[in-house]
Amino acid sequence: MHLSLTVPLCYSSASEDLGCRRGDFSRKHYGSVELLISSDADGAIQRAGRFRVENGSSDETLDYTPGTWRRTDVHLENPEYHTRWFFKYFLGKVHQNYVGTDAEKNPFYLSVVLSDQNNQRVPQYRAILWRKTGTLKISLPYSPTKTLSVKSILSAMNMDRFEKGPREILNPEIQKDLLVLEEQEGSVNFKFGVLYAKDGQLTDDEMFSNETGSENFDKFLSLLGDTITLQGWAGYRGGLDTKNDTTGIKSIYTVYQGHELMFHVSTMLPYSKENKQQVERKRHIGNDIVTIVFQEGDDASSSFKPSMIRSHFTHIFALVRYNSQNDSYRLKIFSEESVPLFGPPLPSPPVFTDHQEFRDFLLVKLINGEKATLETPTFAQKRQRTLDMLIRSLYQDLMPDLHKNMLNRRSFSDVLPESPKSARKKEEARQAEFVRIGQALKLKTIVRGDAPTSLVTTGLCRKEPWESQLFCSTFPYDIVCADSWGQSVLVATDAAGVMLLDGKSLPPVHVFDRTMVVKQMHVLEPQDLLITRTDKGKDARLYVFRLSTIKKGLEERQLIRGKCDSRENKLEKTKGCHLYSINTHHGSELRIVAAIRNKLLLITRKHPRFSAVATGVDSPVEEFQYIREICLCDPPVVMSLVDGPTGENDNMICVAYKHQFDLINESTGDAYRLHHAEANRVNFVAAIDVYEDGEAGLLLCYNYICYYKKVCPFNGSTPMIQSNTSDFHFSWNQMPNAIGRLPRQQFSGPHPAHCR
């Protein structure tokens, strides 16, 4: 049988791509593609990123004649009509959905539709295989004389072995859930930063402090899009305030090939004469994946470098210069090393005299760049973990229906209009209801401006993905703390030590014996780390382990680790630690705050590039360094770290003690009142950092109450802590023991928490 395959993009690492970036392919198609080490202002490169530079030619000073280059093929990579199959070809049309589990007992879903091939009146099957590793799409020819079975389609997708054979899902509500799965391919709307830099400005403080732009800059903004009024704006807002003008009055917006684009323009965001760092501007542009830097001056002026902008989140900079002598634009692209190569390649020389042509090229380059960034390990691992969680949650929901509402062995010829006469009326009624629900869902999604993105943001989900599900029904010990490790759960108990549960009928595997009295733990899989706090009076300490070392010991069936076996894993200065917290946002540097009575100890992990992973050292202790100590008035009961937009002197620590929550400046140790608990007796539960469009907030939980408060960055010496329209509170009907976060998804509001 002839097959035509459409395969999603693979996750690629920086090490795998580096060869092709430096080889003939890079020079031929991308001009000069060099690696630039972006150092800090003081010359330190320990925390700095490495950037790839594209300038269209190997010689920046090469003479050029504008407009003489041959136009390259400028097109969007991975466009929506290739990736959003379910929304375009399946939703609102008669199609079949199946569920099963593969040989490794991982659930999967299969969707199949009979559709027209490229509007040429040639029928063909389209199939989508939903798995935890991503989606696979395939097109198959239609034959009226040959029955096409489910298993033959899966075989064409290299799936021949199953734990449970695929069964059809007859419930039409399944369309809502599959649309949620499709969202994990990424957003269709984008927000880009635009930073104006005068000639000679070399720091981001100088660039962000420009109150207005030049005439050339205004001309460039009008080329990008339309100037819109934010108040009352009903379109894509890109994290800007459309009610109270707190993020400016105007902005630049456009629609390009079906994508809504909002630009965070530095000169249009709020300006403060008292705040030299302009944190209100940095918290938006510093949290954009892609930023345009419009730099005044000719090519002989001081050159821009990514190290001038202090941001842990921006992966791509597009440097734009305007030449008034020949009315042309010149473009240079800086990409963080881990970002895969993306097109279109810059022409040689990268000079554009046709302004409309330059706009098309720039917007396509920016969109492709953000999509490529989502394939870096940092983003891909989060997306894959979220997809896995959603697939397993949906499978648990479907389990009760497997024998009640599903048919096991139905070929596609049986469910299309050629159904047997005896079952035709019933089948036609089911198909009509299926189409009605699908079309209504598609219409609502389009009207709300979410097409074809997630239904999590529209509230149309049949069942929320964070609802609890049973993992282990018979566990004999009281659980002190736990964290997920792959598809298993690492559990700490007082009576039996630390054990690994896999959710199956197998007995738990002992990892540490009862001499390790673990009271807190964090499993950080991307960093290959396990952090624990053991608490036994004065012997309380923090321990750090490599997950790979623990896994190797379990596979080799070594003796169970105890306290004596873990002496090389303890962080010495943490003796007496009664509480610790780590940062959970997208910062590239791991930070730990350990509380020893009323003293806070700030610890950071050195950049992974300088770690001892490759040397075979089992203990990662040497990778951690102590930064400073902060003294509080009382020992904290609850702590949470809040990442600032730049990571430079604006990170914060939320602590709870007495009857209040305070914010502590990580750099200065200054404390500021965040919230006072109006209660005679306060039982602190948690302070959870949550982020919306990169903006930090805190969920303050005590007694029966949860308060959500936006946390604005520090404005010089005084933090901007004030009532905000986005603040709210809610109450539990029972006092929770603990509240934890879900894996990050693209929610429109604060990430929901789970009460235990």
Side-chain angles (χ1 to χ4, degrees):
M1 183 187 329
H2 171 70
L3 305 179
S4 61
L5 286 172
T6 303
V7 184
L9 288 176
C10 299
Y11 302 143
S12 58
S13 66
S15 60
E16 293 170 339
D17 284 343
L18 200 52
C20 74
R21 291 178 189 159
R22 290 176 172 169
D24 293 335
F25 175 83
S26 299
R27 288 194 297 271
K28 179 180 178 182
H29 294 278
Y30 289 84
S32 174
V33 180
E34 58 195 84
L35 284 176
L36 171 69
I37 297 179
S38 174
S39 60
D40 290 335
D42 57 1
I45 63 173
Q46 188 171 352
R47 294 177 51 219
R50 286 156 59 93
F51 281 76
R52 186 175 70 247
V53 186
E54 297 176 37
N55 60 18
S57 66
S58 58
D59 186 0
E60 177 75 6
T61 61
L62 186 68
D63 291 337
Y64 62 87
T65 304
T68 59
W69 57 276
R70 186 172 181 178
R71 191 179 191 278
T72 57
D73 185 19
V74 180
H75 60 83
L76 293 177
E77 297 170 354
N78 219 12
E80 301 313 308
Y81 60 84
H82 283 167
T83 59
R84 305 285 170 156
W85 271 28
F86 189 79
F87 184 87
K88 182 172 183 178
Y89 300 112
F90 291 71
L91 192 60
K93 300 176 182 178
V94 175
H95 67 276
Q96 287 75 48
N97 300 290
Y98 296 81
V99 62
T101 53
D102 60 21
E104 289 74 35
K105 299 184 179 181
N106 296 313
F108 66 87
Y109 306 96
L110 177 69
S111 300
V112 184
V113 67
L114 182 63
S115 63
D116 188 15
Q117 182 177 2
N118 300 325
N119 297 319
Q120 296 175 356
R121 297 185 179 181
V122 178
Q124 68 169 359
Y125 287 109
R126 295 181 188 268
I128 305 175
L129 179 63
W130 315 84
R131 306 181 74 180
K132 69 175 186 178
T133 53
T135 59
L136 179 66
K137 303 177 178 70
I138 187 174
S139 297
L140 300 170
Y142 168 77
S143 173
T145 60
K146 187 175 181 180
T147 300
L148 186 63
S149 67
V150 179
K151 291 187 177 180
S152 64
I153 292 180
L154 291 173
S155 179
M157 293 174 159
N158 296 320
M159 278 193 66
D160 295 305
R161 297 173 56 227
F162 313 97
E163 191 217 13
K164 292 182 180 179
R167 300 181 177 183
E168 188 180 3
I169 306 169
L170 298 180
N171 189 343
E173 300 290 328
I174 188 64
Q175 297 172 94
K176 300 178 183 179
D177 300 290
L178 295 179
L179 203 53
V180 173
L181 296 185
E182 188 169 64
E183 180 209 13
Q184 306 312 313
E185 294 178 354
S187 175
V188 294
N189 299 323
F190 300 86
K191 55 188 180 72
F192 301 129
V194 182
L195 180 59
Y196 174 69
K198 294 180 180 178
D199 190 9
Q201 291 184 334
L202 301 178
T203 67
D204 58 352
D205 286 348
E206 293 175 325
M207 300 176 192
F208 280 104
S209 295
N210 292 321
E211 293 186 56
T212 59
S214 65
E215 181 179 350
N216 291 335
F217 181 62
D218 293 337
K219 183 179 179 180
F220 172 69
L221 292 180
S222 64
L223 181 64
L224 286 180
D226 300 317
T227 301
I228 56 104
T229 300
L230 286 173
Q231 194 169 62
W233 176 251
Y236 174 67
R237 64 186 185 91
L240 298 178
D241 181 9
T242 58
K243 295 181 180 178
N244 301 305
D245 291 339
T246 61
T247 57
I249 299 174
K250 305 281 186 180
S251 190
I252 301 297
Y253 167 89
T254 192
V255 177
Y256 186 80
Q257 294 192 20
H259 299 280
E260 290 185 81
L261 311 179
M262 180 65 79
F263 296 90
H264 294 159
V265 183
S266 61
T267 55
M268 291 183 170
L269 292 167
Y271 172 80
S272 173
K273 293 183 179 180
E274 294 76 24
N275 184 2
K276 294 182 179 180
Q277 293 188 358
Q278 302 299 329
V279 292
E280 185 65 17
R281 293 177 170 182
K282 288 182 180 179
R283 75 188 181 103
H284 286 288
I285 298 178
N287 282 290
D288 290 330
I289 293 177
V290 179
T291 292
I292 303 170
V293 179
F294 184 91
Q295 191 168 42
E296 295 282 11
D298 54 29
D299 296 335
S301 303
S302 56
S303 181
F304 169 84
K305 292 183 179 180
S307 57
M308 297 176 182
I309 310 299
R310 292 168 293 179
S311 172
H312 296 306
F313 195 65
T314 304
H315 283 61
I316 296 170
F317 294 94
L319 179 64
V320 175
R321 290 182 184 272
Y322 176 73
N323 189 332
S324 58
Q325 294 181 354
N326 51 28
D327 193 25
S328 66
Y329 288 95
R330 184 172 191 128
L331 180 64
K332 181 188 284 189
I333 302 293
F334 299 84
S335 306
E336 203 277 334
E337 183 187 16
S338 63
V339 179
L341 287 172
F342 57 94
L346 268 67
S348 179
V351 178
F352 303 81
T353 54
D354 186 324
H355 293 182
Q356 189 60 43
E357 194 171 61
F358 172 63
R359 177 182 186 270
D360 291 340
F361 188 100
L362 179 62
L363 295 184
V364 169
K365 189 71 171 177
L366 299 184
I367 294 173
N368 289 344
E370 181 154 329
K371 288 184 177 182
T373 302
L374 297 179
E375 301 300 328
T376 60
T378 300
F379 289 96
Q381 288 168 359
K382 291 180 180 179
R383 183 172 65 249
Q384 185 171 337
R385 187 168 179 171
T386 300
L387 182 63
D388 187 19
M389 183 273 293
L390 289 172
I391 286 177
R392 291 182 180 276
S393 175
L394 177 56
Y395 183 75
Q396 291 295 324
D397 292 345
L398 294 172
M399 285 293 288
D401 295 334
L402 284 179
H403 301 288
K404 185 174 63 175
N405 291 331
M406 297 189 184
L407 302 178
N408 190 11
R409 296 177 179 173
R410 252 178 22 159
S411 64
F412 289 111
S413 60
D414 292 333
V415 298
L416 291 174
E418 296 86 349
S419 302
K421 293 182 179 180
S422 59
R424 182 169 298 177
K425 287 188 177 181
K426 185 176 181 180
E427 182 62 22
E428 287 178 350
R430 186 191 72 82
Q431 290 181 2
E433 179 67 5
F434 196 95
V435 171
R436 185 191 66 80
I437 289 179
Q439 289 180 345
L441 179 60
K442 195 167 191 175
L443 178 61
K444 288 180 180 179
T445 310
I446 294 172
V447 169
R448 295 183 185 217
D450 296 321
T453 52
S454 172
L455 298 184
V456 171
T457 59
T458 65
L460 296 176
C461 287
R462 177 172 54 88
K463 195 171 184 180
E464 306 293 9
W466 52 83
E467 291 190 20
S468 60
Q469 51 186 303
L470 181 64
F471 187 83
C472 180
S473 58
T474 55
F475 188 69
Y477 307 105
D478 291 334
I479 298 175
V480 178
C481 60
D483 200 359
S484 60
W485 183 3
Q487 298 305 317
S488 304
V489 176
L490 197 62
V491 175
T493 69
D494 284 336
V498 179
M499 291 174 283
L500 190 66
L501 308 178
D502 64 359
K504 305 172 185 176
S505 58
L506 299 175
V509 179
H510 272 82
V511 180
F512 297 101
D513 63 24
R514 58 187 300 177
T515 61
M516 289 285 286
V517 187
V518 176
K519 300 296 185 181
Q520 271 183 278
M521 72 165 66
H522 284 89
V523 176
L524 306 176
E525 293 183 71
Q527 291 91 343
D528 191 33
L529 279 180
L530 168 65
I531 305 174
T532 66
R533 175 176 65 84
T534 63
D535 198 344
K536 205 168 186 181
K538 295 181 180 179
D539 269 347
R541 292 183 187 274
L542 290 188
Y543 289 77
V544 289
F545 304 88
R546 294 197 198 285
L547 292 173
S548 55
T549 302
I550 296 175
K551 184 178 181 181
K552 182 180 178 182
L554 295 177
E555 291 173 348
E556 296 177 355
R557 298 177 180 266
Q558 296 177 359
L559 293 176
I560 303 172
R561 276 176 174 259
K563 185 177 179 180
C564 294
D565 306 311
S566 306
R567 284 175 293 187
E568 295 182 353
N569 297 86
K570 59 186 178 184
L571 297 177
E572 292 297 335
K573 292 188 178 183
T574 60
K575 185 176 181 180
C577 172
H578 71 275
L579 184 68
Y580 82 91
S581 181
I582 67 172
N583 60 321
T584 59
H585 197 30
H586 47 59
S588 60
E589 180 183 65
L590 173 65
R591 309 197 318 282
I592 306 174
V593 168
I596 306 172
R597 293 180 295 279
N598 66 331
K599 180 178 69 176
L600 301 184
L601 186 64
L602 180 62
I603 306 168
T604 63
R605 190 189 188 193
K606 300 174 185 176
H607 197 283
R609 192 182 309 282
F610 300 93
S611 70
V613 175
T615 65
V617 179
D618 283 343
S619 173
V621 167
E622 295 300 322
E623 299 170 19
F624 290 84
Q625 56 187 351
Y626 304 92
I627 305 301
R628 66 179 62 88
E629 293 181 359
I630 299 173
C631 289
L632 305 177
C633 57
D634 287 280
V637 181
V638 162
M639 288 194 307
S640 180
L641 298 188
V642 182
D643 284 3
T646 68
E648 300 290 340
N649 302 322
D650 58 358
N651 292 324
M652 293 168 278
I653 310 169
C654 178
V655 296
Y657 41 52
K658 291 184 177 179
H659 281 65
Q660 67 200 54
F661 290 88
D662 282 0
L663 273 182
I664 311 296
N665 187 322
E666 232 179 61
S667 300
T668 65
D670 294 334
Y672 302 92
R673 179 72 55 83
L674 179 63
H675 179 73
H676 181 77
E678 300 292 344
N680 294 329
R681 187 176 179 180
V682 180
N683 176 42
F684 291 109
V685 179
I688 302 175
D689 61 311
V690 289
Y691 297 83
E692 179 184 4
D693 292 323
E695 299 179 14
L698 280 166
L699 195 63
L700 310 176
C701 311
Y702 63 94
N703 295 354
Y704 298 87
I705 301 172
C706 278
Y707 273 91
Y708 173 75
K709 294 185 73 68
K710 275 285 179 96
V711 180
C712 297
F714 283 77
N715 180 6
S717 61
T718 305
M720 294 182 288
I721 303 173
Q722 56 190 7
S723 297
N724 192 293
T725 55
S726 61
D727 293 349
F728 63 87
H729 72 276
F730 58 88
S731 301
W732 307 103
N733 54 14
Q734 184 177 352
M735 187 179 297
N737 296 321
I739 299 175
R741 71 178 65 251
L742 288 173
R744 294 192 183 279
Q745 302 171 48
Q746 297 176 9
F747 290 101
S748 60
H751 297 285
H754 175 63
C755 172
R756 177 162 61 86

